[in-house]
Amino acid sequence: MAPSESTIISNYLLVPAQLPAIISLQEFIALFPRSLQSSPHIRSLYRDLQGQRNALVDSVAAGIETEAKRGKALRRAVIKIRREAESQEHDDEVEIERMLFGAASNSQNSKHTVSSIIPDLEGAISELEGELQRLEEEQAALMASAQQTVGSMSDLRYGRLANSKLRDQVLDGLANLQETCTGKN
C-alpha cells in the first residue's frame, strides 16, 4: 500500500527536524569556548532548545493533521461536485437530442452515414484535444506549485534555522547567565 500524503509530509518534515538529528549534545557543547564546555548550564540550555524544537515539531505535526483532514473534506466535495456536474451534463445531452430529433425519436434510431459522421468525429476530436491541452497546462501549474512548496520546505528538512544569529545569541545568553551565577556566589 502506498504511503499517504500526510505520512510522506511527516517523514519529510518531522523525522529530520528533531534537535538530536540536527545537532547532538556533544556537537552543541563543542560550539562553546573550552572554558565553558563543562558548565551544567550548557546541558540545560540544550534541553531548553530541544523542548522548543519539540514544541515546534508538535505544532507542525498538528498542522499536517489539520491539512490532511481538510484535504479529505476537499476531495469529498470535489467528488460530489463532479458527480452533480456529470448528471447535469447527461441531462443536457438528453435535452439537446430531444431538441434535434424530436421528443419521440431516440438518438439510437438516428442513422449516420460515413460522410455525415466524419465532421462530428472531427469536432469531437478537436474538443478533446483542447480539453487535453487545458488539463496539461493545469497539471504543469500544479506541478510548479508543488515544486515551489517542496523547495520552500527544504530549510526545515536540513535543519537550517531561520535565525542565523542564534549561535551568537546563545553564547551571549550563556555569558550573561554565567556572570549572573558567578556574581551571586
Side-chain angles (χ1 to χ4, degrees), residues 94-134:
V94 170
E95 186 63 32
I96 291 171
E97 286 179 7
R98 284 186 190 145
M99 288 173 29
L100 288 174
F101 302 113
S105 111
N106 204 343
S107 64
Q108 294 174 355
N109 293 339
S110 63
K111 299 197 180 194
H112 281 287
T113 63
V114 173
S115 60
S116 69
I117 201 162
I118 289 178
D120 291 341
L121 289 176
E122 288 174 348
I125 289 171
S126 65
E127 287 178 21
L128 287 174
E129 287 173 344
E131 180 70 14
L132 181 63
Q133 182 178 359
R134 187 188 64 74

Side-chain angles (χ1 to χ4, degrees), residues 38-56:
S38 61
S39 173
H41 299 292
I42 294 176
R43 288 184 188 274
S44 63
L45 183 63
Y46 183 80
R47 281 192 296 272
D48 182 52
L49 186 59
Q50 190 174 14
Q52 291 177 17
R53 189 67 178 192
N54 288 342
L56 178 64

Side-chain angles (χ1 to χ4, degrees), residues 14-22 46-62 156:
L14 302 180
V15 174
Q18 299 290 335
L19 187 61
I22 297 169
Y46 183 80
R47 281 192 296 272
D48 182 52
L49 186 59
Q50 190 174 14
Q52 291 177 17
R53 189 67 178 192
N54 288 342
L56 178 64
V57 168
D58 290 345
S59 172
V60 171
L156 183 58

Side-chain angles (χ1 to χ4, degrees), residues 1 5-6 8 14 26 35 52 55 69 71 74 79 99 102 111 114 122 132 141 144 148 170 177 179:
M1 183 171 165
E5 180 180 349
S6 60
I8 292 170
L14 302 180
Q26 289 72 27
S35 61
Q52 291 177 17
K69 288 178 183 176
L74 185 60
I79 288 170
M99 288 173 29
K111 299 197 180 194
V114 173
E122 288 174 348
L132 181 63
Q148 182 181 9
V170 168
L177 182 64
E179 288 174 14

